[in-house]
Amino acid sequence: MSARITASVYTSHVPAIGVAMDLGKTELPNWVPLFAGYEPARQWITDNPPDAVVLVYNDHGNAFSLEMIPTFALGMAAAYEPADEGWGARPVPTVPGHPELAAHIAQSVIQQDFDLTLVNEMTVDHGCTVPLSIMFGQPEEWPCPIVPLAVNVVQYPVPSGRRCLALGQAIRGAVESFDEDLNVQIWGTGGMSHQLQGPRAGLINPDFDHMFLDRLLNDPVGLSEMPHIDYVREAGSEGIELVMWLIARGAMADLDGGPAPREVHRHYHVPASNTAAGMLVLDNP
Ligand code: DHB
Ligand code: FE
């Protein structure tokens, strides 16, 4: 008996998507196509509820600041309060943690030579809470515990795609050696193409985004070799958030000698706020 990684979910975390939900604006015509594209994923997760989610995301200067910049920060806490810049903390439930699974992942992944930072107390911002809202809607309580993994993609140097893919492989090994019968999903969040600042603010590159979705599914190892400068040139300065999707992809069975994942759902919509919003759901049936 052990835990298994059964599926991976990849989604943008645009804060305006969370605000649209929080303010009840999802039925407005400009939001309908985006939210309609999330429906199949919500149905799928209702039919395939995880016991826990390892949620890979980035903090945006809320839990961490320039005073302290951990590259890979694993949340060990029993609970995480929402926090956010700009609009303020979202009115969403406290995010429940899974300290036992987190402690096991820490033990296993650090022994596999990844120097994680362990965080016993932190808040979670839209990077974490918007994907939860996209997948689970607006429940009174989040339906399962979350192990948050905060990745620095805000302040250079940020980790390479290769490192992210390998970390995902290590997380798979960790989860699969956790001595409890748990159905675990891993989510990679952030992206897709976007630039929020400077002369190229508003940059969106659908060709790049579709290429990224295709190669994430079919050529994750090749995609992991893509240098940072290509993300920045093609997907904008904040497009580098996409490197986090490789962590979730690395945790799928095919990178451990198993079968290729199945594409359950794909959705792409521009724009959400200033950003290309994408989603991919993969499982190992
Ligand atoms: C937007 C997107 C982000 O990923 C983010 O962290 C902040 C803002 C946006 O499109 O507005
Ligand atoms: Fe972001």
Side-chain angles (χ1 to χ4, degrees):
M1 185 181 71
S2 74
R4 316 163 304 288
I5 292 193
T6 56
S8 51
V9 173
Y10 310 83
T11 179
S12 308
H13 62 215
V14 182
I17 295 173
V19 174
M21 294 182 70
D22 299 340
L23 299 183
K25 296 192 169 180
T26 60
E27 305 291 324
L28 294 183
N30 59 320
W31 284 113
V32 164
L34 176 74
F35 285 101
Y38 292 146
E39 278 311 317
R42 288 178 173 178
Q43 188 59 53
W44 167 82
I45 208 162
T46 302
D47 298 339
N48 300 275
D51 297 317
V53 171
V54 177
L55 202 161
V56 183
Y57 76 107
N58 67 292
D59 178 72
H60 302 74
N62 291 295
F64 307 114
S65 67
L66 295 182
E67 288 161 6
M68 209 186 294
I69 308 170
T71 303
F72 298 117
L74 189 70
M76 314 296 291
Y80 307 90
E81 292 303 328
D84 238 310
E85 79 278 17
W87 280 296
R90 296 186 56 217
V92 292
T94 300
V95 175
H98 196 315
E100 296 79 17
L101 179 59
H104 176 79
I105 291 173
Q107 162 75 18
S108 172
V109 167
I110 290 172
Q111 291 303 316
Q112 293 178 73
D113 302 333
F114 283 86
D115 308 318
L116 301 179
T117 299
L118 306 185
V119 186
N120 292 318
E121 197 179 328
M122 67 175 178
T123 55
V124 289
D125 73 9
H126 66 270
C128 178
T129 63
V130 168
L132 289 172
S133 298
I134 287 172
M135 292 304 291
F136 294 130
Q138 294 169 288
E140 293 274 307
E141 290 179 2
W142 298 119
C144 71
I146 306 298
V147 177
L149 175 63
V151 179
N152 169 42
V153 291
V154 169
Q155 180 64 37
Y156 281 84
V158 307
S160 68
R162 206 178 310 118
R163 190 70 173 153
C164 288
L165 194 77
L167 175 57
Q169 292 174 290
I171 291 171
R172 179 180 183 83
V175 169
E176 303 227 311
S177 59
F178 185 61
D179 207 9
E180 212 178 290
D181 184 24
L182 284 187
N183 172 356
V184 179
Q185 294 182 2
I186 183 165
W187 296 5
T189 71
M192 296 200 80
S193 56
H194 64 305
Q195 173 147 344
L196 303 175
Q197 60 213 315
R200 296 202 307 164
L203 179 146
I204 287 177
N205 184 349
D207 290 341
F208 175 91
D209 292 332
H210 289 299
M211 175 282 291
F212 193 91
L213 290 164
D214 287 341
R215 289 187 72 192
L216 188 73
L217 175 62
N218 296 316
D219 180 27
V221 175
L223 183 62
S224 77
E225 299 292 334
M226 188 167 74
H228 289 147
I229 191 66
D230 289 8
Y231 287 82
V232 175
R233 282 201 184 109
E234 299 295 326
S237 54
E238 279 68 51
I240 188 62
E241 288 180 347
L242 283 169
V243 81
M244 295 185 289
W245 293 25
L246 287 163
I247 297 177
R249 186 64 183 86
M252 296 305 284
D254 56 337
L255 286 151
D256 188 28
R262 180 175 66 125
E263 180 174 325
V264 174
H265 181 57
R266 188 190 291 219
H267 174 45
Y268 183 76
H269 178 79
V270 288
S273 177
N274 300 301
T275 301
M279 166 180 276
L280 193 61
V281 177
L282 305 180
D283 73 358
N284 276 127

